[in-house]
Amino acid sequence: MELDERKAKILNAIIQNYQETGEPVGSRTISKYTDLNLSSATIRNEMADLEEMGLIVQPHTSAGRIPTDQGYRLYVDQLMAKKKQEVAEMNEFMVQRVDRLEQLLKQVARFLATNTNYATMISGPSARRSKVKFLQLSRMAQGKLLVTVVVDGNIVKNTILNMERVITDDDILTLAFNLNNTLNGLTMEEINLGLITKLKEAAGSNADVVERVLEAVADAISREGEAPIYTSGATNIFKYPELTADDTASQIIGTLEEKQQLSTLLTAALHDEEKQGIQVYIGGETSMQAMKDCSVVTATYELEDGIQGTIGIVGPKRMDYDKVVSALKSVMAQMDRMYKKEPEGKTAGEPRAGEEPGEGSL
């Protein structure tokens, strides 16, 4: 059954007001409850039409109206369809943002490698201590449920749950809707026992599913050391004779490809405030044997909501430090402009105070 906008708003107002008060709803209440700016007489006419359609009923003479089962069904169906569309649109938006961020980081790595003639590495933003931005539940093969959690920085974590029983599509949609409404904007520490109990009570027979989904959310937020590492310009190492002696170059390139040690180096800056900003490691200062003949310059970047990652440039000890630092400042300034609101009165593209203009642009 399709309703025009006016009737739909009046029906929704009746249902929502009745849910809150438990009392029949009159035209004067509706005139104050909606943004239609209609007279009580016009609202009464619309309510009469809704009554003829079987969507509301007058329990007794001179009383207001209450929704019928058919009215509730129309309200729920339209509400769920709207929320399903919102979930789909949000998911598409998040996927696009994540794709763009990944492409940006790869582009930054290529730019720095080309601009400096050294090897470059960059970590994706860390999800530690992040807030939940969006959660989606998707049916997969029989007995499997995909839990997609998006946290600050638009970092996506996927977990597949093996379900012991069948859950209907309507139940999945309702669970996702309630979880998003409750968890959005919360850190794991803020998801307390009271909220968990509330979610389980709302889920009824699916309380066990809620518990397992919350475990997946906790795992997605607390998971460490899994930020992706993007590298570029590894072959630039061969341009420097001192790095090609013996098997030094192959060890360096192997470290860049293997990435586990890089992750340790790049994430160290995120956990130590003294190592944030631009840092220079010469030779053995990196604690990586493969880099003992190299210098590594790192810089911490920050996206919205305080989500951070690290950029690193690897070259010989005789690297052009001034050029490397200038290139890093340029990249960090551009990322800052892309992800943060500019101060009032500042022209886009203008360096901040104390900032050097870069030698190129992304």
Side-chain angles (χ1 to χ4, degrees):
M1 184 183 299
E2 293 292 333
L3 299 180
D4 60 39
E5 182 181 3
R6 179 187 291 181
K7 286 185 173 62
K9 284 190 174 183
I10 291 175
L11 176 62
N12 290 347
I14 291 173
I15 292 175
Q16 290 168 13
N17 194 272
Y18 184 63
Q19 288 173 335
E20 293 173 3
T21 67
E23 299 291 335
V25 184
S27 58
R28 291 188 62 186
T29 300
I30 298 302
S31 66
K32 301 174 183 178
Y33 204 84
T34 70
D35 57 357
L36 291 174
N37 297 318
L38 299 176
S39 67
S40 295
T42 302
I43 292 175
R44 282 195 296 271
N45 290 334
E46 295 288 357
M47 292 172 70
D49 291 342
L50 291 171
E51 191 169 1
E52 288 182 7
M53 298 167 73
L55 300 176
I56 59 175
V57 65
Q58 190 174 26
H60 51 80
T61 306
S62 301
R65 269 70 165 184
I66 63 174
T68 63
D69 290 353
Q70 187 178 355
Y72 277 126
R73 169 50 56 193
L74 181 63
Y75 174 78
V76 170
D77 287 348
Q78 292 182 349
L79 173 67
M80 299 306 273
K82 179 181 178 182
K83 293 306 176 185
K84 186 174 182 179
Q85 179 63 27
E86 288 177 356
V87 167
E89 290 174 353
M90 178 62 75
N91 182 58
E92 181 180 359
F93 171 74
M94 287 300 180
V95 169
Q96 289 174 352
R97 288 295 302 274
V98 171
D99 287 345
R100 286 201 291 269
L101 176 59
E102 180 177 346
Q103 292 304 314
L104 170 65
L105 296 179
K106 289 179 179 178
Q107 188 177 356
V108 166
R110 286 194 300 269
F111 167 77
L112 287 172
T114 300
N115 189 264
T116 63
N117 279 319
Y118 303 129
T120 302
M121 50 193 176
I122 181 168
S123 70
S126 170
R128 298 182 69 218
R129 297 184 299 276
S130 295
K131 297 179 181 180
V132 177
K133 293 187 73 172
F134 180 68
L135 185 147
Q136 179 174 338
L137 306 180
S138 307
R139 184 189 302 282
M140 298 183 68
Q142 185 68 23
K144 294 184 182 297
L145 186 67
L146 174 65
V147 181
T148 300
V149 183
V150 182
V151 296
D152 285 341
N154 297 326
I155 304 169
V156 178
K157 301 289 185 180
N158 292 313
T159 304
I160 297 176
L161 302 181
N162 293 312
M163 309 305 298
E164 298 177 354
R165 55 186 175 80
V166 176
I167 305 177
T168 67
D169 290 338
D170 284 345
D171 282 347
I172 291 174
L173 181 61
T174 300
L175 286 172
F177 175 63
N178 290 337
L179 285 163
N180 274 297
N181 271 356
T182 304
L183 304 182
N184 183 266
L186 300 182
T187 63
M188 202 59 226
E189 290 76 11
E190 293 170 328
I191 303 176
N192 55 38
L193 182 60
L195 288 178
I196 295 173
T197 301
K198 175 184 174 183
L199 285 167
K200 285 185 175 181
E201 289 176 350
S205 61
N206 290 316
D208 59 321
V209 182
V210 169
E211 184 171 357
R212 296 190 63 191
V213 170
L214 289 174
E215 290 174 356
V217 172
D219 182 61
I221 293 179
S222 62
R223 211 178 296 164
E224 298 181 19
E226 295 190 10
I229 305 292
Y230 306 99
T231 59
S232 184
T235 57
N236 286 339
I237 296 299
F238 291 105
K239 296 179 180 180
Y240 306 98
E242 65 267 43
L243 299 182
T244 59
D246 301 323
D247 61 346
T248 301
S250 61
Q251 290 182 19
I252 296 171
I253 292 175
T255 300
L256 290 170
E257 291 177 346
E258 194 271 334
K259 298 182 181 179
Q260 184 174 355
Q261 293 185 64
L262 297 184
S263 178
T264 302
L265 173 65
L266 293 177
T267 56
L270 302 180
H271 308 306
D272 187 345
E273 291 185 2
E274 293 183 358
K275 293 183 179 179
Q276 294 188 8
I278 294 179
Q279 297 290 323
V280 179
Y281 302 88
I282 301 173
E285 292 178 353
T286 64
S287 74
M288 292 191 296
Q289 182 62 24
M291 300 290 185
K292 63 183 176 58
D293 295 317
C294 300
S295 283
V296 180
V297 183
T298 66
T300 303
Y301 69 84
E302 184 173 316
L303 306 181
E304 71 259 18
D305 303 316
I307 300 303
Q308 297 177 321
T310 308
I311 305 169
I313 295 178
V314 180
K317 295 178 185 178
R318 61 183 175 93
M319 71 161 52
D320 186 339
Y321 294 98
D322 184 58
K323 181 177 183 180
V324 168
V325 170
S326 178
L328 283 172
K329 285 185 176 181
S330 173
V331 164
M332 292 169 67
Q334 290 186 58
M335 292 181 71
D336 195 50
R337 286 192 290 272
M338 292 177 71
Y339 280 90
K340 293 183 179 180
K341 185 178 180 181
E342 288 296 337
E344 188 173 350
K346 182 179 180 299
T347 304
E350 174 189 339
R352 284 172 169 74
E355 197 174 75
E356 298 176 20
E359 300 178 20
S361 59
L362 297 182

